[in-house]
Amino acid sequence: MTAEQIFFLLTAAVILIAALMVVTVRKLLHAALWLVLVLFGVAVLYAILQANFLAVVQLVVYIGAIAILFIFADMLTRRDLRDRPGQTRFNWWVAALLGLAIFVGLLSALLSVPNVNRTPAALPTDTDLVAALGTALVSPQGYVLPFEVASVLLLAALIGAVYLAGVNKKS
Amino acid sequence: MSFWNDPINFLADWLNGVLTGWGLPAGWATVLVYLVGITVLVVFAMVLDIGLVWVERKVVARFQDRLGPNRLGPFGLIQPFADIIKMVIKEDITPAGADKVLYNIAPVLSAASVIMLWAILPLAANIYGVDLNVGLLYVVAMGALGTLAVIMAGWASNNKYALLGAFRMVANMVAYEIPMVIVLLIPTILAGTMSVIGITEAQRDIWFALLSPLGLIIFMISAIAELGRSPFDLNEAESEIVAGFHIEYTGMKFGWFYAGELLHAFTFGGFAAILFFGGYAGFFGLEKLPAFAWLNLPLVQAFFFILKAMLGYWVIMWVKYSMPRIRIDHMLAFNWKFLVPLSLILLAATAILHKILVVLPTWQYALGMFVANIVIITATIEILRSYGRRQRLAEQRLSPQPVEN
Amino acid sequence: MQNEWLYVGLFLIIGIVVPIVPLLIARFISPRKPNPIKQSTYECGIETVGDTWVQFKAQYYIFALVFLVFDVETVFLFPWALSLNLLPLFAVLEGLLFIGILVVGLVYAWRKGMLEWV
């Protein structure tokens, strides 16, 4: 059991427990903060895999922007600051059974892949990985088309949000 | 390597040898050595923080034409220690209805997000925590954690003023993060790397402040807004919403918000020094001369870095105590309608010019970049001036003033 | 395992422990005399009026949304900035196209009045 495996198991345990808390706590803001812990755990996983750029981007975008957006949405759409306990559906056990079935299915699919237990290949240490990512993003034989399409996608999201907010303002 | 050339590695290797000599496996010895090093660095940051409390109070006193603390110890140097003792022994009043867990986590998270910045802050060429190759984004990420702490504090206090202050502060912090991140791209382009050590090393011949003065200005404005200090401190405006999001915090918890803000300001002064003034290096090639070879010693480099960081911190304090507070809608309009487009224009100009001019020798490159910055600054001032003139003329036409003779 | 993030992880642990130490010391040596008046919510020295609820401005959400889009954009720009030294001029132009498309979005939001505070 290498140190990497121990760290992975600890992080995975934290992520799973936090994810369970997200769907079971009563106060909505607490659920948002448990989600922040899940996202932080994913960033730790990226760090264990030495994907530096993805780890910090996870923190900057997910925790710094998306989690903040969730928290704002929660606080701005309630009538008062007191939390009423959320309604639990009465057949939540059906959802739990379904979740377990999906988990078992995914696990068996994963274990049937040959060589799934091999140690990962070592990363190249001579190139700067982030610079390599950058060249891949803008070189014509790389991913330049998805790069530009991503900007159009962001533009569409922005225009959509502005339009929806404008509709609500007028009404 | 001798002690004077490489103090940290020298001590780390010695300690590692001692620990493995006692029979610890190599992995655990490394972890223990890391822990000792981290504790020393964090204690240094805390002692610096205590000193900053004294500096802040003396400087604000001088700006306001008074003396500041001068009773405890020579020049009031013992004052911060008295402040800390006072804060620790104060009663901890938790408001009724406060969310206890979040209420207690928020100041710890706020202080932790500032302390984490010291992991990548290089005091010298070989006195630093770790050289992440994504250093600049790590700085932004720690800012994101700080934003989360503010919202937690505002919400958990069960107080509408705290929540209002927290909302304003978060809206402020996230808004000014955009020009700051865009301006952080400029040293990245100029140095070709995101790592903090790499950017410092790339400034051995010339400071980036000379290559991109507008970048420095935008960075300082965004940093001051990120910190929530005056003139952007509507969130803590004493006359308006009485200390904003930390209104319900007493004793040492408030102490961590306050001390964390000062340390954050100093750390941003340090980053301004690293990104634009050469950090621990940046002697314009002077250290290559044999007479100045002592400039390569780590402790000398650390001294110059702390000096530059102090100067950055002094500029931040100067702005704080000289300018009036800005209204929240003016703050946000200034960001989204002025700083973001300006920084994007600066980024575009820097990228194009860097690509075109990088083949030229250094002084022509520097001159080209500097002139481009001056052109952008002048154009911006001219546009603002003509816009202001048009506004004034429109107002005068609506309400004619009597002409004075 | 020569992972530089180990140092950062240890730094996080110490960074959380160090602020907690004075708080624990304070908990032991500070007086604790809670009473309802002291623990009441602060509202400029008078009793609180109404429930602790306020209808907050939806404008905060719009600003957070615009921030999110621009945050993702600037994160994309970091690898682009690193590639400028390695690729010829067209890489710069591609990045500028990326920025330009999003500037169109900012102008749209500006003209629609989404960046006002009212």
Side-chain angles (χ1 to χ4, degrees):
Chain A
M1 187 76 101
T2 67
E4 212 175 70
Q5 286 178 324
I6 297 180
F7 278 123
F8 169 72
L9 284 175
L10 280 174
T11 316
V14 166
I15 293 178
L16 286 175
I17 296 176
L20 193 64
M21 299 302 280
V22 169
V23 293
T24 53
V25 288
R26 302 216 163 240
K27 292 192 177 179
L28 203 51
L29 189 78
H30 287 189
L33 290 173
W34 282 112
L35 183 66
V36 167
L37 191 59
V38 170
L39 298 170
F40 188 77
V42 174
V44 171
L45 282 182
Y46 282 137
I48 294 176
L49 290 172
Q50 297 197 306
N52 296 350
F53 183 67
L54 284 178
V56 280
V57 163
Q58 175 86 3
L59 287 174
V60 169
V61 172
Y62 262 110
I63 295 183
I66 295 181
I68 302 275
L69 206 62
F70 280 175
I71 295 176
F72 270 17
D74 170 48
M75 290 191 200
L76 293 172
T77 52
R78 60 172 66 218
R79 279 189 47 91
D80 59 67
L81 293 185
R82 294 166 308 183
D83 239 315
R84 300 180 209 288
Q87 292 176 341
T88 43
R89 299 205 165 275
F90 293 109
N91 42 357
W92 59 268
W93 52 272
V94 175
L97 267 180
L98 266 176
L100 195 61
I102 294 177
F103 172 66
V104 168
L106 278 176
L107 194 63
S108 54
L110 206 62
L111 287 178
S112 67
V113 170
N115 281 343
V116 75
N117 282 336
R118 70 179 185 280
T119 50
L123 291 169
T125 47
D126 52 344
T127 53
D128 184 12
L129 291 173
V130 193
L133 176 66
T135 36
L137 274 179
V138 287
S139 53
Q141 54 274 54
Y143 298 93
V144 67
L145 189 60
F147 180 62
E148 302 296 341
V149 167
S151 79
V152 175
L153 185 65
L154 286 170
L155 178 67
L158 186 57
I159 292 183
V162 167
Y163 174 72
L164 281 178
V167 164
N168 283 337
K169 259 192 179 185
K170 286 191 200 100
S171 63
Chain B
M1 78 199 113
S2 72
F3 176 72
W4 289 114
N5 275 338
D6 205 351
I8 301 299
N9 279 336
F10 184 80
L11 288 171
D13 283 346
W14 169 78
L15 194 59
N16 215 342
V18 165
L19 287 173
T20 43
W22 286 346
L24 271 180
W28 287 104
T30 319
V31 167
L32 266 176
V33 169
Y34 275 174
L35 278 175
V36 169
I38 294 172
T39 314
V40 167
L41 191 59
V42 171
V43 166
F44 174 70
M46 292 289 114
V47 170
L48 199 62
D49 199 6
I50 295 173
L52 288 176
V53 173
W54 176 82
V55 168
E56 175 99 16
R57 289 182 69 168
K58 274 298 202 185
V59 168
V60 63
R62 291 297 170 164
F63 269 104
Q64 295 170 352
D65 205 15
R66 54 185 172 90
L67 283 178
N70 60 353
R71 292 211 178 273
L72 296 177
F75 298 108
L77 280 171
I78 315 286
Q79 182 72 36
F81 295 101
D83 279 342
I84 294 173
I85 298 177
K86 172 198 76 169
M87 275 197 226
V88 170
I89 63 178
K90 266 196 194 285
E91 178 179 352
D92 199 11
I93 307 176
T94 308
D99 191 334
K100 290 220 170 13
V101 174
L102 293 182
Y103 184 80
N104 288 318
I105 291 181
V108 174
L109 185 61
S110 175
S113 74
V114 176
I115 294 177
M116 291 288 285
L117 284 175
W118 280 74
I120 63 162
L121 201 66
L123 296 171
N126 37 32
I127 306 182
Y128 56 88
V130 60
D131 181 24
L132 288 177
N133 67 341
V134 289
L136 291 185
L137 271 182
Y138 176 85
V139 173
V140 181
M142 291 304 126
L145 285 185
T147 316
L148 207 61
V150 169
I151 272 216
M152 266 201 242
W155 174 264
S157 304
N158 196 29
N159 182 334
K160 35 176 151 17
Y161 294 109
L163 195 54
L164 193 59
F167 266 116
R168 284 188 184 177
M169 182 96 177
V170 169
N172 203 18
M173 285 168 91
V174 297
Y176 281 90
E177 218 168 278
I178 299 293
M180 188 162 87
V181 178
I182 296 176
V183 163
L184 284 180
L185 277 168
I186 297 190
T188 310
I189 293 179
L190 295 176
T193 170
M194 274 202 267
S195 101
V196 177
I197 304 275
I199 292 179
T200 320
E201 293 292 327
Q203 293 182 64
R204 279 200 181 265
D205 292 327
I206 186 166
W207 288 349
F208 286 167
L210 296 173
L211 294 183
S212 184
L214 185 58
L216 172 64
I217 295 173
I218 298 180
F219 180 77
M220 289 307 278
I221 297 177
S222 317
I224 294 178
E226 273 285 309
L227 294 170
R229 284 173 80 97
S230 208
F232 298 105
D233 69 346
L234 198 63
N235 327 293
E236 321 181 311
E238 260 127 38
S239 44
E240 305 198 19
I241 49 175
V242 199
F245 67 93
H246 47 72
I247 199 175
E248 295 278 7
Y249 281 92
T250 55
M252 201 58 209
K253 294 183 188 148
F254 170 75
W256 277 122
F257 278 120
Y258 181 65
E261 183 185 315
L262 290 183
L263 189 61
H264 205 180
F266 179 80
T267 313
F268 264 114
F271 276 112
I274 289 173
L275 294 171
F276 291 101
F277 288 107
Y280 59 79
F283 297 114
F284 295 98
L286 208 58
E287 73 271 10
K288 297 202 192 82
L289 301 175
F292 287 98
W294 53 272
L295 284 175
N296 283 322
L297 289 175
L299 292 175
V300 174
Q301 288 179 335
F303 169 75
F304 275 107
F305 170 73
I306 303 263
L307 187 68
K308 290 180 193 175
M310 266 302 185
L311 283 176
Y313 181 60
W314 192 79
V315 168
I316 293 178
M317 278 197 289
W318 189 7
V319 170
K320 171 169 182 164
Y321 296 120
S322 317
M323 293 191 59
R325 192 168 291 138
I326 300 182
R327 246 169 48 186
I328 182 78
D329 53 339
H330 291 166
M331 260 198 263
L332 293 172
F334 179 69
N335 178 62
W336 291 110
K337 300 187 185 173
F338 182 71
L339 269 192
V340 169
L342 183 63
S343 50
L344 284 174
I345 293 174
L346 178 66
L347 175 68
T350 311
I352 297 179
L353 279 176
H354 174 78
K355 205 63 207 159
I356 298 177
L357 295 179
V358 75
V359 290
L360 298 176
T362 313
W363 68 269
Q364 284 177 347
Y365 175 75
L367 196 63
M369 284 286 193
F370 186 73
V371 164
N373 269 274
I374 299 296
V375 164
I376 295 178
I377 294 177
T378 334
T380 312
I381 295 181
E382 274 312 309
I383 293 177
L384 286 177
R385 215 181 263 170
S386 75
Y387 182 69
R389 206 179 310 132
R390 264 187 290 137
Q391 286 246 330
R392 252 198 324 274
L393 288 178
E395 272 169 30
Q396 274 186 346
R397 253 179 273 130
L398 288 177
S399 56
Q401 304 282 344
V403 179
E404 291 176 29
N405 284 330
Chain C
M1 179 185 71
Q2 278 308 344
N3 194 339
E4 55 209 0
W5 288 95
L6 176 66
Y7 190 88
V8 177
L10 292 171
F11 217 100
L12 178 64
I13 295 175
I14 302 266
I16 293 180
V17 164
V18 164
I20 289 182
V21 167
L23 293 181
L24 284 178
I25 297 177
R27 177 184 276 260
F28 286 127
I29 66 177
S30 64
R32 327 204 97 228
K33 297 187 171 56
N35 69 52
I37 304 290
K38 263 200 277 195
Q39 287 182 332
S40 59
T41 317
Y42 181 73
E43 190 161 331
C44 303
I46 56 177
E47 300 291 316
T48 54
V49 177
D51 291 329
T52 323
W53 71 274
V54 192
Q55 190 64 36
F56 286 106
K57 303 168 74 65
Q59 199 60 26
Y60 285 112
Y61 190 78
I62 307 287
F63 279 120
L65 207 61
V66 176
F67 160 69
L68 172 62
V69 171
F70 277 92
D71 204 22
V72 176
E73 171 197 350
T74 45
V75 153
F76 262 111
L77 286 178
F78 268 95
W80 166 76
L82 292 180
S83 74
L84 289 186
N85 280 334
L86 306 166
L87 292 174
L89 191 65
F90 72 88
V92 180
L93 297 175
E94 278 166 8
L96 294 185
L97 177 64
F98 186 85
I99 297 176
I101 293 178
L102 283 154
V103 166
V104 169
L106 180 66
V107 170
Y108 178 77
W110 188 337
R111 293 297 293 272
K112 284 286 177 185
M114 284 302 128
L115 300 177
E116 305 295 328
W117 185 246
V118 285

